[in-house]
């Protein structure tokens, strides 16, 4: 078994994960954490235990409620496939299932599942960018659905582009960014070909199509699941490496780089360009109990301005749902900053009590 070591701000960490199996009840209602449901000022991860892979989270400015979306899933509860499950929360911690973004798969691609959605509020409406792909798909693509409310119904707008059309292999994992009055879409996933990598492209003002096919390479093809966050003078790139979906053997982990320009170049703490494979500064990794933490959400601010980030991870003792689906459950940690560089919580999937986010529901 290969062991990869990282010299990080929180010590030398070895990435190596063994194998187990599990059974889990999948009611769609969170049964996770006693501390979260009490009056204590702390909560414990995970914050949703059924499964919510590739999380994306937004707060509705009208209701002040939070909504989380994830990759399509069958929870093994005889309800079939949920085509992008939608969760709702008053406090960022206690989540309930309120429906699915789609009643059926989009029709623009014959084969594929809806993966890694990205929710945004644009022009007063809710834009859900999403991937359509199969494992090893030679031509995955990215689409868009729009709703008037965060809980839907979402109306599919069709395909923005696919791998063959944009000339980028494994075109999945969209992430929308609005910067200086312009709309951009970042995307990309693992690949070893000459055209591999994470890229960015400008969108039209309505966010429904490409302004042009010109694209900018952001990171090498050993990254996927990009998140971009602007803080003070820098844009921060968070990306996942390693295997996402091998149960307790999953090796997902998150690294960061930063740039003074949205379109890069993004450099890690050692000054290395992440357009070259093997670079990036480690900010989140698994441990003896938790495998494969990664695919971060956009940064969410609480009502005191604290920065929080969601991600999925896998409990080694219960790595799969009864139908053998990887049980990627929802975690939440605060972003911690030291000399202009972030880490996610303590730098490893956090199971210790955490001070709750401040949420004021007016």
């Amino acid at each position: 078994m290969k062991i990869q070591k990282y010299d990080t701000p929180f010590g030398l960490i070895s990435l190596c994960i063994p194998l187990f199996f599990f059974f889990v009840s999948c009611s769609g209602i969170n049964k996770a954490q006693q501390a979260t449901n009490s009056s204590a000022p702390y909560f414990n991860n995970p914050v949703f235990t059924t499964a919510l892979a590739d999380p994306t989270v937004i707060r509705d400015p009208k209701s002040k409620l939070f909504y989380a979306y994830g990759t399509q899933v069958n929870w093994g509860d005889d309800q079939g496939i949920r085509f992008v499950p939608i969760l709702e929360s008053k406090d960022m911690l206690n989540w309930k299932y309120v429906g699915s973004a789609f009643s059926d798969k989009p029709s623009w691609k014959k084969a594929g599942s809806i993966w890694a959605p990205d929710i945004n509020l644009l022009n007063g409406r809710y834009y859900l960018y999403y991937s359509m792909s199969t494992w090893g798909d030679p031509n995955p693509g990215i689409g868009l659905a729009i709703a008037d409310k965060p809980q839907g119904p979402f109306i599919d707008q069709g395909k923005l582009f696919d791998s063959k059309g944009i000339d980028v292999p494994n075109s999945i994992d969209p992430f929308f960014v609005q910067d200086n009055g312009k709309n951009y879409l970042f995307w990309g996933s693992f690949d070893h070909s000459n055209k591999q990598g994470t890229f960015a492209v400008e969108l039209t003002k309505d966010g429904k199509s490409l302004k042009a096919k010109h694209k900018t390479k952001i990171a090498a093809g050993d990254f996927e699941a990009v998140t971009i966050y602007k803080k003070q003078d820098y844009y921060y790139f968070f990306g996942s490496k390693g295997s996402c979906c091998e149960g307790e053997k999953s090796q997902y982990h998150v690294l960061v780089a930063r740039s003074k320009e949205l379109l890069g170049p993004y450099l890690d703490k050692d000054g290395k360009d992440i357009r070259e494979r093997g670079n990036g500064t480690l900010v989140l990794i698994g441990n003896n109990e938790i495998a494969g933490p990664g695919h971060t959400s956009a940064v969410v601010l609480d009502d005191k301005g604290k920065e929080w980030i969601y991600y999925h991870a896998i409990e080694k003792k219960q790595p799969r749902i009864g139908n053998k689906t990887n049980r990627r459950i929802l975690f939440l940690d605060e972003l911690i900053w030291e000399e202009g560089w972030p880490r996610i919580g303590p730098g490893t999937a956090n199971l210790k009590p955490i001070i709750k986010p401040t949420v004021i529901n007016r």
Side-chain angles (χ1 to χ4, degrees):
M1 181 182 295
K2 182 179 179 182
I3 299 176
Q4 189 168 359
K5 294 186 177 181
Y6 293 92
D7 191 6
T8 75
F10 32 90
L12 186 66
I13 296 177
S14 298
L15 183 62
C16 178
I17 302 174
L19 179 63
F20 305 86
F21 292 91
F22 92 106
F23 171 79
V24 63
S25 170
C26 297
S27 65
I29 300 174
N30 189 17
K31 300 175 181 177
Q33 65 294 0
Q34 294 179 351
T36 298
N37 296 327
S38 74
S39 59
Y42 300 94
F43 75 95
N44 287 88
N45 276 315
V47 295
F48 188 76
T49 59
T50 306
L52 195 80
D54 311 323
T56 178
V57 178
I58 198 167
R59 193 178 194 183
D60 178 20
K62 294 180 181 179
S63 68
K64 304 299 182 183
L65 297 174
F66 297 86
Y67 291 87
Y69 310 73
T71 284
Q72 77 170 58
V73 66
N74 185 335
W75 282 336
D77 56 359
D78 299 323
Q79 298 299 310
I81 296 174
R82 289 169 168 88
F83 294 105
V84 181
I86 305 174
L87 310 181
E88 181 184 274
S89 175
K90 294 179 180 180
D91 59 6
M92 298 177 64
L93 303 174
N94 292 286
W95 295 92
K96 65 178 182 179
Y97 173 71
V98 295
S100 296
F102 299 84
S103 58
D104 202 349
K105 287 196 305 185
S107 60
W108 55 266
K109 182 172 168 55
K110 290 183 179 180
S113 300
I114 309 171
W115 293 351
D118 178 53
I119 190 68
N120 300 272
L121 184 57
L122 181 63
N123 302 323
R125 305 180 76 193
Y126 287 87
Y127 279 51
L128 191 73
Y129 296 94
Y130 63 89
S131 316
M132 280 286 288
S133 184
T134 61
W135 287 104
D137 198 326
N139 192 32
I142 290 173
L144 170 65
I146 299 177
D148 293 326
K149 300 180 295 183
Q151 62 269 43
F154 282 84
I155 306 302
D156 189 44
Q157 309 295 302
K159 177 178 68 176
L160 266 72
F161 56 83
D162 57 25
S163 281
K164 290 182 179 178
I166 201 73
D167 201 24
V168 174
N170 214 7
S171 283
I172 62 173
D173 294 352
F175 187 82
F176 175 84
V177 176
Q178 195 167 52
D179 186 66
N180 293 323
K182 295 182 178 181
N183 298 326
Y184 297 88
L185 195 73
F186 288 67
W187 84 98
S189 185
F190 298 149
D191 193 73
H192 286 87
S193 72
N194 293 332
K195 297 177 180 179
Q196 48 77 28
T198 293
F199 289 82
V201 68
E202 188 176 350
L203 302 179
T204 54
K205 281 192 174 182
D206 64 7
K208 295 181 180 180
S209 58
L210 303 184
K211 186 173 181 180
K213 282 192 175 182
H214 173 74
K215 56 187 183 288
T216 301
K217 187 170 183 176
I218 304 297
D222 55 350
F223 275 107
E224 68 175 19
V226 55
T227 294
I228 301 292
Y229 181 56
K230 175 74 181 299
K231 185 178 177 70
Q232 296 177 350
D233 295 333
Y234 287 98
Y235 298 87
Y236 291 84
F237 170 104
F238 295 86
S240 298
K241 292 188 181 186
S243 57
C244 70
C245 309
E246 293 184 300
E248 64 289 347
K249 297 170 77 173
S250 299
Q251 297 185 19
Y252 237 24
H253 54 292
V254 181
L255 301 99
V256 72
R258 70 183 188 183
S259 173
K260 290 196 172 182
E261 302 293 336
L262 175 66
L263 300 181
Y266 284 84
L267 308 180
D268 65 18
K269 202 170 184 179
D270 294 326
K272 296 179 180 179
D273 194 326
I274 61 170
R275 290 175 295 186
E276 299 295 327
R277 300 177 79 93
N279 296 334
T281 297
L282 186 65
V283 293
L284 179 67
I285 199 167
N287 51 47
N288 290 336
E289 297 175 86
I290 302 297
H295 203 116
T296 51
S297 72
V299 174
V300 179
L301 300 181
D302 72 9
D303 287 328
K304 281 192 175 179
K306 282 189 176 181
E307 300 153 314
W308 299 84
I309 198 161
Y310 291 88
Y311 57 93
H312 73 235
I314 296 173
E315 285 185 314
K316 292 183 181 180
K317 65 181 181 181
Q318 293 184 334
R320 293 177 182 81
I321 297 171
N323 60 15
K324 306 304 181 185
T325 298
N326 278 278
R327 182 172 165 254
R328 292 179 282 172
I329 55 182
L330 188 62
F331 281 67
L332 175 66
D333 266 303
E334 187 180 351
L335 275 188
I336 307 298
W337 296 87
E338 296 173 347
E339 298 180 350
W341 289 93
R343 74 169 186 268
I344 297 174
T348 186
N350 196 3
L351 296 175
K352 295 181 179 180
I354 304 167
I355 296 175
K356 292 179 179 179
T358 300
V359 177
I360 303 170
N361 292 301
R362 296 182 177 89

